[in-house]
Amino acid sequence: MRIRFTKMQGAGNDFVVLDETRGRLNLTAAQYRFLADRHFGVGADQILTVRPASVAGIDFEYVIHNADGGEVEQCGNGARCFVRYVREHGLSNKDALRVSTLAGVIEPRLNADGRVTVDMGQPAFDPEAVSFDTAGLQSTAVGGGHTWPLALDTHADADVPAVIVVSMGNPHAVQIVDDVDTAPVAEQGPRIERHPRFPRRVNVGFMQIVDRSHVRLRVYERGAGETLACGTGACAAVAAGIRLGLLDARVDVQTRGGLLTIEWAGASSTVRMTGPAQTVFEGEIDIPDNP
Protein backbone atom coordinates (compact mmCIF):
# COMPACT_ATOMS: atom_id res chain seq x y z
CA MET A 1 0.00 0.00 0.00
CA ARG A 2 1.33 3.42 -0.97
CA ILE A 3 0.45 6.36 1.30
CA ARG A 4 1.20 10.08 1.39
CA PHE A 5 2.80 11.57 4.47
CA THR A 6 4.21 14.82 5.80
CA LYS A 7 7.35 14.95 7.95
CA MET A 8 7.18 17.66 10.64
CA GLN A 9 9.11 18.70 13.72
CA GLY A 10 8.54 20.78 16.83
CA ALA A 11 11.74 21.70 18.69
CA GLY A 12 13.41 18.65 17.17
CA ASN A 13 10.68 16.22 18.25
CA ASP A 14 9.87 14.76 14.83
CA PHE A 15 6.70 13.28 13.41
CA VAL A 16 5.15 11.57 10.42
CA VAL A 17 1.69 13.09 9.91
CA LEU A 18 -1.07 11.16 8.11
CA ASP A 19 -4.40 12.46 6.76
CA GLU A 20 -7.34 10.16 7.45
CA THR A 21 -10.03 12.79 6.99
CA ARG A 22 -11.21 11.05 3.80
CA GLY A 23 -10.87 7.47 4.99
CA ARG A 24 -9.03 5.20 7.40
CA LEU A 25 -5.71 3.67 6.44
CA ASN A 26 -6.19 0.92 9.04
CA LEU A 27 -2.49 0.58 9.76
CA THR A 28 -1.23 -2.10 12.13
CA ALA A 29 1.18 -1.57 15.01
CA ALA A 30 3.91 -3.13 12.85
CA GLN A 31 3.19 -0.65 10.04
CA TYR A 32 3.41 2.30 12.46
CA ARG A 33 6.77 0.91 13.62
CA PHE A 34 7.87 0.68 9.99
CA LEU A 35 7.00 4.33 9.33
CA ALA A 36 8.91 5.42 12.44
CA ASP A 37 11.98 3.35 11.61
CA ARG A 38 14.87 5.66 10.71
CA HIS A 39 16.61 3.06 8.52
CA PHE A 40 13.79 1.36 6.63
CA GLY A 41 10.88 3.82 6.94
CA VAL A 42 10.55 7.59 7.14
CA GLY A 43 11.82 8.01 10.69
CA ALA A 44 9.98 9.70 13.55
CA ASP A 45 9.48 9.81 17.29
CA GLN A 46 5.69 9.57 16.82
CA ILE A 47 3.12 9.04 14.07
CA LEU A 48 0.29 11.59 14.14
CA THR A 49 -3.03 11.00 12.42
CA VAL A 50 -5.68 13.60 11.54
CA ARG A 51 -9.22 12.22 11.63
CA PRO A 52 -12.61 13.94 11.32
CA ALA A 53 -14.37 14.81 14.55
CA SER A 54 -16.99 12.36 15.78
CA VAL A 55 -18.85 14.81 18.07
CA ALA A 56 -20.21 18.35 17.75
CA GLY A 57 -18.03 21.21 18.93
CA ILE A 58 -14.79 19.44 18.02
CA ASP A 59 -12.82 20.20 14.85
CA PHE A 60 -10.69 17.07 14.52
CA GLU A 61 -9.64 13.86 16.23
CA TYR A 62 -5.89 13.64 16.95
CA VAL A 63 -4.42 10.13 17.15
CA ILE A 64 -0.86 9.46 18.32
CA HIS A 65 1.27 6.34 17.95
CA ASN A 66 4.74 6.05 19.44
CA ALA A 67 7.71 4.69 17.52
CA ASP A 68 7.07 1.28 19.08
CA GLY A 69 3.63 1.16 17.42
CA GLY A 70 1.61 1.69 20.58
CA GLU A 71 -1.16 4.29 20.74
CA VAL A 72 -0.73 6.91 23.46
CA GLU A 73 -2.88 9.55 25.09
CA GLN A 74 -1.13 12.81 24.32
CA CYS A 75 1.79 14.54 22.56
CA GLY A 76 2.29 18.27 23.10
CA ASN A 77 4.88 19.00 20.42
CA GLY A 78 2.75 16.98 18.03
CA ALA A 79 -0.29 19.11 18.87
CA ARG A 80 1.54 22.19 17.63
CA CYS A 81 2.44 20.42 14.39
CA PHE A 82 -1.14 19.20 14.11
CA VAL A 83 -2.65 22.70 13.89
CA ARG A 84 -0.01 23.84 11.38
CA TYR A 85 -0.66 20.72 9.27
CA VAL A 86 -4.42 21.22 9.02
CA ARG A 87 -3.92 24.89 8.07
CA GLU A 88 -1.23 24.19 5.46
CA HIS A 89 -3.28 21.39 3.89
CA GLY A 90 -6.49 23.39 3.70
CA LEU A 91 -8.37 21.19 6.16
CA SER A 92 -9.33 24.25 8.25
CA ASN A 93 -9.02 28.02 8.02
CA LYS A 94 -9.18 28.50 11.79
CA ASP A 95 -6.27 29.78 13.85
CA ALA A 96 -7.61 28.02 16.95
CA LEU A 97 -8.90 24.45 17.02
CA ARG A 98 -10.65 22.14 19.44
CA VAL A 99 -9.10 18.71 19.05
CA SER A 100 -10.01 15.45 20.79
CA THR A 101 -7.35 13.04 22.04
CA LEU A 102 -7.43 9.93 24.20
CA ALA A 103 -6.64 12.25 27.12
CA GLY A 104 -9.45 14.71 26.37
CA VAL A 105 -9.88 17.94 24.41
CA ILE A 106 -6.97 20.31 23.75
CA GLU A 107 -7.00 23.72 22.07
CA PRO A 108 -3.98 24.56 19.88
CA ARG A 109 -3.74 28.09 18.46
CA LEU A 110 -1.54 29.34 15.60
CA ASN A 111 0.01 32.68 16.64
CA ALA A 112 0.90 35.63 14.40
CA ASP A 113 4.63 35.04 14.99
CA GLY A 114 4.38 31.51 13.59
CA ARG A 115 4.67 29.76 16.92
CA VAL A 116 1.80 27.68 18.29
CA THR A 117 0.22 27.84 21.74
CA VAL A 118 -1.61 24.81 23.11
CA ASP A 119 -3.89 24.70 26.14
CA MET A 120 -2.77 21.34 27.52
CA GLY A 121 -5.34 21.06 30.30
CA GLN A 122 -4.79 20.72 34.04
CA PRO A 123 -1.90 18.75 35.51
CA ALA A 124 -2.76 16.01 37.99
CA PHE A 125 -0.39 15.07 40.82
CA ASP A 126 -2.36 12.18 42.33
CA PRO A 127 -0.29 8.98 42.00
CA GLU A 128 -3.42 7.19 40.77
CA ALA A 129 -3.50 9.54 37.75
CA VAL A 130 -0.27 7.96 36.48
CA SER A 131 -1.00 4.47 37.88
CA PHE A 132 1.92 4.83 40.30
CA ASP A 133 2.05 2.11 42.96
CA THR A 134 2.96 3.83 46.24
CA ALA A 135 2.61 0.75 48.47
CA GLY A 136 5.28 0.80 51.16
CA LEU A 137 6.67 4.19 50.09
CA GLN A 138 6.89 7.34 52.20
CA SER A 139 6.64 10.64 50.31
CA THR A 140 8.50 13.83 51.23
CA ALA A 141 6.59 17.12 51.34
CA VAL A 142 8.30 19.90 49.34
CA GLY A 143 6.50 23.22 48.93
CA GLY A 144 2.95 22.34 47.96
CA GLY A 145 3.87 18.96 46.48
CA HIS A 146 5.46 15.62 47.27
CA THR A 147 8.40 13.65 45.94
CA TRP A 148 8.60 9.88 46.04
CA PRO A 149 11.67 7.66 46.44
CA LEU A 150 12.06 5.25 43.51
CA ALA A 151 14.58 2.50 44.19
CA LEU A 152 16.28 1.17 41.07
CA ASP A 153 18.74 -1.19 42.79
CA THR A 154 18.63 -3.51 45.76
CA HIS A 155 22.05 -2.43 47.04
CA ALA A 156 21.85 -0.61 50.36
CA ASP A 157 24.22 2.15 49.19
CA ALA A 158 22.56 2.68 45.79
CA ASP A 159 21.24 6.12 44.90
CA VAL A 160 17.45 6.40 45.09
CA PRO A 161 16.02 9.04 42.73
CA ALA A 162 13.29 11.28 44.15
CA VAL A 163 10.54 11.82 41.59
CA ILE A 164 7.38 13.88 41.44
CA VAL A 165 4.65 12.17 39.44
CA VAL A 166 2.48 14.25 37.11
CA SER A 167 -0.19 13.47 34.56
CA MET A 168 -0.61 15.75 31.56
CA GLY A 169 -3.09 13.29 30.12
CA ASN A 170 -0.13 10.91 29.93
CA PRO A 171 2.14 9.78 32.80
CA HIS A 172 5.37 11.54 33.81
CA ALA A 173 7.98 11.03 36.53
CA VAL A 174 10.20 14.11 36.94
CA GLN A 175 13.42 14.38 38.92
CA ILE A 176 15.57 17.45 39.53
CA VAL A 177 19.24 17.13 38.57
CA ASP A 178 22.26 19.39 38.94
CA ASP A 179 23.22 19.23 35.25
CA VAL A 180 21.20 17.68 32.43
CA ASP A 181 24.36 17.15 30.38
CA THR A 182 25.67 14.63 32.92
CA ALA A 183 22.30 13.30 34.11
CA PRO A 184 21.96 9.47 33.88
CA VAL A 185 19.28 9.63 31.17
CA ALA A 186 20.51 6.60 29.21
CA GLU A 187 20.94 4.52 32.36
CA GLN A 188 17.94 5.49 34.46
CA GLY A 189 15.50 6.46 31.67
CA PRO A 190 14.60 2.96 30.48
CA ARG A 191 14.66 1.54 34.01
CA ILE A 192 12.22 4.13 35.33
CA GLU A 193 10.06 3.94 32.18
CA ARG A 194 9.48 0.22 32.81
CA HIS A 195 9.70 0.27 36.61
CA PRO A 196 7.21 -2.19 38.15
CA ARG A 197 5.65 0.66 40.14
CA PHE A 198 4.48 2.13 36.80
CA PRO A 199 2.41 -0.68 35.23
CA ARG A 200 1.43 1.57 32.26
CA ARG A 201 5.07 2.68 31.93
CA VAL A 202 6.00 6.34 32.27
CA ASN A 203 7.79 9.25 30.57
CA VAL A 204 10.92 10.17 32.50
CA GLY A 205 12.03 13.80 32.89
CA PHE A 206 15.40 15.12 34.06
CA MET A 207 15.13 18.84 34.90
CA GLN A 208 17.93 21.27 35.74
CA ILE A 209 16.69 24.50 37.33
CA VAL A 210 18.77 27.43 36.06
CA ASP A 211 16.67 30.05 37.86
CA ARG A 212 13.00 30.52 38.68
CA SER A 213 12.07 31.26 35.07
CA HIS A 214 14.53 29.05 33.16
CA VAL A 215 15.11 25.29 33.15
CA ARG A 216 16.96 22.78 31.00
CA LEU A 217 15.25 19.48 30.30
CA ARG A 218 15.86 16.04 28.87
CA VAL A 219 13.08 13.45 28.57
CA TYR A 220 13.21 9.70 28.03
CA GLU A 221 9.84 9.10 26.40
CA ARG A 222 7.70 6.04 26.91
CA GLY A 223 7.89 3.93 23.78
CA ALA A 224 10.31 6.25 21.97
CA GLY A 225 13.46 6.64 24.10
CA GLU A 226 15.17 9.99 24.58
CA THR A 227 13.89 12.63 22.15
CA LEU A 228 15.18 16.11 21.36
CA ALA A 229 12.09 17.60 23.02
CA CYS A 230 8.89 16.45 24.70
CA GLY A 231 6.01 18.92 24.96
CA THR A 232 4.01 17.15 27.65
CA GLY A 233 7.32 16.45 29.41
CA ALA A 234 8.07 20.19 29.48
CA CYS A 235 4.58 20.89 30.83
CA ALA A 236 4.92 18.20 33.48
CA ALA A 237 8.39 19.36 34.55
CA VAL A 238 7.39 23.01 34.90
CA ALA A 239 4.14 22.14 36.69
CA ALA A 240 6.16 19.94 39.06
CA GLY A 241 8.67 22.73 39.73
CA ILE A 242 5.90 25.23 40.40
CA ARG A 243 4.12 22.74 42.67
CA LEU A 244 7.34 22.29 44.66
CA GLY A 245 7.71 26.07 44.99
CA LEU A 246 10.87 26.21 42.87
CA LEU A 247 9.63 27.99 39.71
CA ASP A 248 7.56 31.01 38.71
CA ALA A 249 4.36 30.90 36.66
CA ARG A 250 6.10 31.43 33.30
CA VAL A 251 9.16 29.35 32.47
CA ASP A 252 11.36 28.98 29.39
CA VAL A 253 12.35 25.36 28.88
CA GLN A 254 15.55 24.70 26.94
CA THR A 255 15.48 21.26 25.36
CA ARG A 256 18.13 19.77 23.10
CA GLY A 257 15.91 20.58 20.13
CA GLY A 258 14.79 24.11 20.95
CA LEU A 259 12.98 26.44 23.32
CA LEU A 260 9.48 25.95 24.73
CA THR A 261 7.60 28.39 26.96
CA ILE A 262 5.33 26.93 29.63
CA GLU A 263 2.81 28.90 31.69
CA TRP A 264 0.81 27.65 34.67
CA ALA A 265 -0.92 29.81 37.28
CA GLY A 266 -1.35 26.85 39.63
CA ALA A 267 -4.43 25.52 41.41
CA SER A 268 -7.17 24.59 38.93
CA SER A 269 -5.77 26.53 35.96
CA THR A 270 -4.61 24.87 32.76
CA VAL A 271 -1.08 24.63 31.40
CA ARG A 272 -0.25 26.60 28.25
CA MET A 273 2.67 25.61 26.04
CA THR A 274 4.12 27.76 23.24
CA GLY A 275 6.75 26.66 20.75
CA PRO A 276 7.68 26.10 17.10
CA ALA A 277 6.11 23.76 14.55
CA GLN A 278 7.59 23.26 11.09
CA THR A 279 7.06 21.13 8.00
CA VAL A 280 10.25 19.35 6.93
CA PHE A 281 9.17 17.58 3.73
CA GLU A 282 6.33 15.63 2.12
CA GLY A 283 6.40 12.36 0.26
CA GLU A 284 4.94 8.95 -0.51
CA ILE A 285 6.03 5.56 0.78
CA ASP A 286 5.11 1.95 0.06
CA ILE A 287 4.20 0.16 3.28
CA PRO A 288 4.53 -3.65 3.33
CA ASP A 289 1.55 -5.64 4.52
CA ASN A 290 3.74 -7.40 7.07
CA PRO A 291 6.87 -5.30 7.68
Side-chain angles (χ1 to χ4, degrees), residues 85-254:
Y85 177 91
V86 300
R87 281 297 302 272
E88 290 183 349
H89 287 77
L91 300 178
S92 175
N93 60 4
K94 296 180 179 180
D95 287 334
L97 301 174
R98 286 178 53 81
V99 178
S100 66
T101 72
L102 284 180
V105 176
I106 59 172
E107 299 184 9
R109 174 183 293 274
L110 184 62
N111 299 325
D113 64 0
R115 298 211 301 169
V116 178
T117 297
V118 186
D119 185 331
M120 296 295 295
Q122 297 178 11
F125 300 93
D126 186 340
E128 292 184 0
V130 297
S131 300
F132 178 49
D133 179 9
T134 62
L137 296 182
Q138 181 63 50
S139 66
T140 300
V142 182
H146 291 81
T147 64
W148 296 89
L150 192 67
L152 302 179
D153 294 291
T154 56
H155 308 299
D157 59 347
D159 290 335
V160 179
V163 302
I164 180 169
V165 295
V166 189
S167 173
M168 287 303 310
N170 56 352
H172 293 267
V174 181
Q175 62 176 293
I176 298 171
V177 298
D178 293 331
D179 186 346
V180 290
D181 292 330
T182 58
V185 178
E187 175 190 352
Q188 290 188 6
R191 299 179 69 188
I192 296 176
E193 179 206 5
R194 296 180 177 275
H195 197 285
R197 289 191 179 273
F198 293 102
R200 291 196 296 127
R201 297 189 292 163
V202 71
N203 300 288
V204 188
F206 299 79
M207 176 172 63
Q208 173 190 344
I209 297 177
V210 179
D211 57 43
R212 292 189 63 87
S213 60
H214 297 84
V215 303
R216 301 175 66 211
L217 181 69
R218 292 170 66 184
V219 179
Y220 191 95
E221 292 196 47
R222 177 182 59 167
E226 185 179 5
T227 57
L228 291 178
C230 175
T232 57
C235 294
V238 169
I242 294 172
R243 180 84 164 186
L244 298 178
L246 304 174
L247 297 174
D248 292 335
R250 186 182 189 277
V251 178
D252 285 335
V253 180
Q254 185 63 58

